[in-house]
C-alpha cells in the first residue's frame, strides 16, 4: 500500500495538490488503512463477517482516495495537464442533470432495497442439498 | 451539480468493485481453497444467487456515466476500445463458466470450466486494476478530447506509454491480490469445514 501511494504521488502530481488543498480528504486513505489493519487482525477469527467488512472498507477507501485525488479531473492528460477532461467540461447540460436526479434517487432507493432483501434472503452458510443449480 | 453526479458515479463503481469483487476473488482462489467437486460446488453456491445481480452495478455505473458525463464516456470508450473488448469477453467467459460447468458430468468438462472461471476472474481483476492505474496516471488526450493507447509500448510511464506500464501493472497486481483476499474472506464467511479453513488461511497469508 505504501509502494502504491508513493508511486501514485510520483506519477500524478495532481494527487498531492488535491490532498493539500482539502486536507479533510485524508479521511479516505485513513478508511483504507483501518480496513487493512482490520483484515490483518480479524481474518483469523471464526465467523468472518467483521474481516469481510474490513475488506469492503479497504476497497472503498482506496477507490474513494483515487476519486478524491483526481477530482476535478475525470480523465487526466499525461501529455498536457490542461487537456485533461474535468467534471465540468465532460458533463451533460445542467437541465439534464437536474431532471436526472428525479429518477435516479428513487431508482437507487429501489435498487438498494432489493439489494438488502436479496442478501438477507441468502444470508448464512451455504448448504448443498443436491436440489439447487449448483 | 456535476460534482454530485461525480459522487454518484464513484459510489456506483465502488459498489460494483466491492460486490462483484468478491465474486471475482472467489473465482481467483477457488482452485486453491476448494479441491473436491463438492467443495467447488459450495464455492459456486456461495456466489450463485448474487453474482449476476452484482454485475448489474457495472452496467448501472456505465449507464450513469453515459448520462452524466457523455464527453468522458465517448472519449474513454473509444480510447480504451481494445481493453474494453477484452473485458467484455472475460465477463462472458466468467458467466458461461459458472452456468455451463454443471450441465455435463465429466472428468474433463467441469475442470475445464473451473480453469476458465479462475483465469477469467484473475484477468478481469488485472484489467480493472490496470484501468484504475490508467485513470490515475492519465492518458495522452489531444485537443479534441480523444486518445489512443496500445496495450503496451516500453513499459515506462512517459508520454508514449501504453495501457500497461510499470505503474498500471503495479496497480493491477495490487487489485489481483486485494480481490483474492476479498473473495477468500467471502468464501470463509459463507462456507464450512475444510474450505472455510483454507480460505481463511489464504486471506491471512496474502
Amino acid at each position: 500500500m505504501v509502494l502504491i501511494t508513493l508511486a501514485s504521488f510520483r506519477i500524478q502530481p495532481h494527487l498531492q495538490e488535491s490532498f493539500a488543498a482539502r486536507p479533510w480528504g485524508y479521511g479516505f486513505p485513513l478508511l483504507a488503512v483501518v480496513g487493512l489493519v482490520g483484515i490483518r487482525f480479524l481474518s483469523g477469527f471464526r465467523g468472518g463477517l467483521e474481516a469481510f467488512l474490513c475488506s469492503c472498507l479497504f476497497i472503498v477507501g482506496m477507490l474513494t482516495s483515487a476519486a478524491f485525488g483526481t477530482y476535478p479531473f475525470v480523465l487526466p492528460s499525461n501529455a498536457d495537464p490542461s487537456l485533461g477532461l474535468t467534471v465540468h467540461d465532460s458533463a451533460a447540460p445542467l437541465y439534464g442533470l437536474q431532471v436526472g436526479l428525479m429518477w435516479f434517487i428513487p431508482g437507487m432507493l429501489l435498487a438498494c432495497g432489493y439489494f438488502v432483501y436479496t442478501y438477507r434472503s441468502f444470508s448464512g452458510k451455504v448448504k448443498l442439498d443436491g436440489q439447487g443449480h449448483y | 451539480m456535476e460534482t454530485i453526479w461525480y459522487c454518484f458515479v464513484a459510489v456506483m463503481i465502488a459498489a460494483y468493485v466491492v460486490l462483484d469483487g468478491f465474486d471475482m476473488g472467489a473465482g481467483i482462489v477457488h482452485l486453491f481453497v476448494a479441491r473436491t467437486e463438492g467443495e467447488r460446488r459450495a464455492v459456486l453456491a456461495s456466489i450463485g444467487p448474487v453474482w449476476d445481480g452484482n454485475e448489474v452495478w457495472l452496467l448501472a455505473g456505465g449507464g450513469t456515466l453515459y448520462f452524466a458525463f457523455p464527453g468522458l464516456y465517448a472519449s474513454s470508450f473509444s480510447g480504451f476500445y481494445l481493453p474494453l473488448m477484452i473485458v467484455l469477453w472475460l465477463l462472458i467467459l466468467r458467466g458461461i463458466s459458472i452456468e455451463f460447468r454443471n450441465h455435463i458430468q465429466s472428468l474433463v468438462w467441469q475442470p475445464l470450466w473451473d480453469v476458465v472461471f479462475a483465469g477469467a476472474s484473475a484477468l478481469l481483476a488485472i484489467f480493472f486494476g490496470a484501468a484504475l492505474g490508467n485513470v490515475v496516471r492519465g492518458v495522452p488526450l489531444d485537443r479534441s478530447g480523444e486518445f489512443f493507447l496500445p496495450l503496451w509500448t516500453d513499459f515506462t510511464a512517459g508520454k508514449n506509454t501504453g495501457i500497461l506500464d510499470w505503474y498500471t501493472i503495479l496497480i493491477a497486481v495490487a487489485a489481483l491480490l486485494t480481490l483474492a483476499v476479498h473473495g477468500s474472506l467471502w468464501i470463509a464467511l459463507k462456507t464450512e469445514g475444510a474450505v472455510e479453513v483454507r480460505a481463511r488461511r489464504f486471506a491471512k497469508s496474502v
Side-chain angles (χ1 to χ4, degrees):
Chain A
M1 190 179 166
V2 173
L3 186 65
I4 289 170
T5 306
L6 292 175
S8 300
F9 275 85
R10 194 185 147 212
I11 286 283
Q12 184 50 267
H14 181 71
L15 294 178
Q16 212 161 355
E17 293 163 20
S18 281
F19 282 101
R22 292 159 300 192
W24 56 267
Y26 282 108
F28 297 119
L30 191 64
L31 285 180
V33 172
V34 170
L36 195 61
V37 171
I39 294 170
R40 202 81 208 137
F41 285 100
L42 298 171
S43 59
F45 292 101
R46 285 191 69 80
L49 180 63
E50 296 83 2
F52 178 73
L53 291 177
C54 284
S55 177
C56 298
L57 192 65
F58 174 70
I59 292 171
V60 169
M62 292 299 274
L63 290 175
T64 49
S65 298
F68 177 84
T70 52
Y71 181 86
F73 290 103
V74 278
L75 195 61
S77 168
N78 64 352
D80 176 0
S82 67
L83 297 177
L85 291 178
T86 67
V87 288
H88 309 293
D89 57 24
S90 64
L94 183 63
Y95 175 73
L97 294 180
Q98 284 172 336
V99 172
L101 281 183
M102 303 300 154
W103 56 258
F104 185 83
I105 292 172
M108 281 307 290
L109 288 174
L110 266 177
C112 290
Y114 181 69
F115 161 82
V116 171
Y117 169 76
T118 307
Y119 277 80
R120 280 179 73 94
S121 303
F122 295 104
S123 62
K125 299 276 185 186
V126 166
K127 296 268 183 267
L128 287 179
D129 53 6
Q131 302 295 314
H133 179 63
Y134 301 99
Chain B
M1 186 56 73
E2 292 94 343
T3 304
I4 292 172
W5 280 99
Y6 179 71
C7 294
F8 282 151
V9 172
V11 166
M12 293 181 85
I13 292 173
Y16 169 71
V17 177
V18 165
L19 294 174
D20 205 31
F22 69 70
D23 301 332
M24 270 183 251
I28 294 166
V29 302
H30 91 296
L31 290 180
F32 308 111
V33 302
R35 292 173 187 164
T36 65
E37 173 61 17
E39 288 176 353
R40 288 190 180 167
R41 284 182 57 220
V43 170
L44 286 176
S46 74
I47 61 168
V50 291
W51 74 267
D52 42 3
N54 292 340
E55 281 194 351
V56 174
W57 287 94
L58 181 65
L59 298 179
T64 310
L65 196 69
Y66 177 59
F67 164 75
F69 300 104
L72 168 66
Y73 185 89
S75 177
S76 55
F77 274 62
S78 63
F80 289 128
Y81 186 77
L82 177 60
L84 279 171
M85 283 299 117
I86 296 173
V87 163
L88 187 60
W89 274 104
L90 290 172
L91 285 169
I92 291 169
L93 278 174
R94 206 166 66 99
I96 61 175
S97 62
I98 295 172
E99 296 299 332
F100 280 10
R101 87 176 290 282
N102 290 328
H103 284 202
I104 300 173
Q105 302 297 317
S106 151
L107 287 175
V108 178
W109 183 260
Q110 285 155 324
L112 169 76
W113 288 114
D114 287 344
V115 170
V116 171
F117 180 46
S121 299
L123 284 171
L124 266 176
I126 287 169
F127 267 85
F128 283 136
L132 178 65
N134 274 273
V135 170
V136 172
R137 181 204 62 204
V139 294
L141 285 161
D142 60 21
R143 296 208 171 274
S144 61
E146 291 177 1
F147 68 97
F148 170 75
L149 279 173
L151 263 185
W152 67 79
T153 53
D154 54 4
F155 293 102
T156 59
K159 286 178 183 169
N160 297 317
T161 186
I163 285 160
L164 297 174
D165 60 31
W166 68 266
Y167 174 70
T168 57
I169 290 173
L170 177 71
I171 303 292
V173 170
L176 178 69
L177 294 176
T178 300
L179 295 187
V181 170
H182 194 49
S184 50
L185 288 171
W186 173 259
I187 293 172
L189 177 68
K190 296 294 288 182
T191 59
E192 295 171 304
V195 186
E196 181 190 355
V197 172
R198 281 190 222 116
R200 202 179 300 286
R201 203 182 298 142
F202 185 92
K204 213 165 168 55
S205 66
V206 175

